[in-house]
Amino acid sequence: GFFSGLLILGGLEGSLLLLDVHQVQRNQEYVRMVVLTVVVQALVLGTVVALVEELLFRGALLTALLRGYGRVTAMGLSSVLYAAAHFLKYPEPPPGAELHWYTGIKLFPPALRWFGSPGTPEALLSLFLFGMLLALVRLRRDSLWPCIGMHAGLVTGYKIAGYCTERVPDAEYQFLLSSNSPVLGWLAVLWLGLALFVCHRFCPVATHDLQGN
């Protein structure tokens, strides 16, 4: 649940710090009230993001795909869409422009521009693996709540780490980090791949799911 998401993000961020890809931000305030505010904001945002995305991707979408495809295919398709959705960046309409029903269609091609930027493949693969992990948890536990908890924990840790750490310019191992994200990249692929393997091997199946089979 929540602590497993924190553990994944903590392991990733700790590795980035040990490899000197990230460093602690010295110019931030670390007094009690500021830190408490950052933590509360991270918890709220993490919970909201987790609820919305899990209800959509591991709830409605994965359930719909399971009606027409096998488990692995449904997991893969939902994870591809989950990863791709994070790179759809719609541009702002020009000031004073009239909005029509087809405005979104016209803006769709420019929204794809991030897919061709450097650093996108490893960031997409990181998100795909995270989507696969969440989908596996959803199917193993037969509930959205563990997914929501894991997702909320990871986003909460991500926001706290974003306040406390920063990228080291010209780091020796900077290739491990995508240019499009402060944490996604090849090192995240390693950590999320490891988490997916551990979940596949050791995540228990829900008791009532076993009884149903």
Side-chain angles (χ1 to χ4, degrees):
F2 184 85
F3 292 105
S4 60
L6 274 181
L7 180 63
I8 294 170
L9 196 284
L12 173 57
E13 184 59 50
S15 300
L16 290 169
L17 288 168
L18 285 172
L19 292 170
D20 291 324
V21 180
H22 275 185
Q23 62 187 1
V24 176
Q25 292 203 49
R26 306 293 183 185
N27 58 344
Q28 295 284 33
E29 290 188 80
Y30 294 105
V31 295
R32 182 181 301 174
M33 286 307 300
V34 172
V35 172
L36 182 61
T37 300
V38 170
V39 171
V40 170
Q41 290 176 343
L43 278 168
V44 172
L45 181 63
T47 301
V48 171
V49 169
L51 280 169
V52 172
E53 294 191 355
E54 292 312 304
L55 286 171
L56 176 60
F57 289 101
R58 260 64 61 179
L61 180 60
L62 182 58
T63 300
L65 289 170
L66 284 168
R67 295 193 182 108
Y69 301 95
R71 287 194 169 196
V72 175
T73 302
M75 288 169 60
L77 289 173
S78 65
S79 299
V80 166
L81 292 172
Y82 169 73
H86 286 77
F87 280 84
L88 286 175
K89 307 292 183 183
Y90 278 88
E92 290 289 333
E98 293 187 14
L99 299 181
H100 304 280
W101 66 268
Y102 53 82
T103 300
I105 300 175
K106 289 178 65 177
L107 294 176
F108 185 70
L112 301 174
R113 65 190 186 279
W114 284 103
F115 286 93
S117 63
T120 295
E122 57 265 40
L124 276 172
L125 183 56
S126 302
L127 288 167
F128 171 78
L129 289 173
F130 187 46
M132 289 290 287
L133 174 62
L134 291 167
L136 181 60
V137 171
R138 160 75 173 81
L139 294 178
R140 284 288 179 90
R141 303 307 299 152
D142 196 27
S143 172
L144 273 177
W145 290 114
C147 306
I148 292 170
M150 179 182 288
H151 200 151
L154 190 138
V155 174
T156 299
Y158 169 80
K159 290 298 178 182
I160 294 172
Y163 179 84
C164 300
T165 65
E166 61 184 354
R167 188 190 297 253
V168 176
D170 302 319
E172 181 180 0
Y173 299 105
Q174 64 178 341
F175 66 90
L176 294 173
L177 205 56
S178 167
S179 58
N180 292 329
S181 169
V183 295
L184 299 180
W186 296 118
L187 193 59
V189 168
L190 178 63
W191 272 97
L192 290 166
L194 177 62
L196 182 60
F197 172 77
V198 170
C199 182
H200 176 69
R201 289 294 303 271
F202 302 109
C203 183
V205 179
T207 304
H208 55 84
D209 193 43
L210 283 171
Q211 291 173 345
N213 291 326

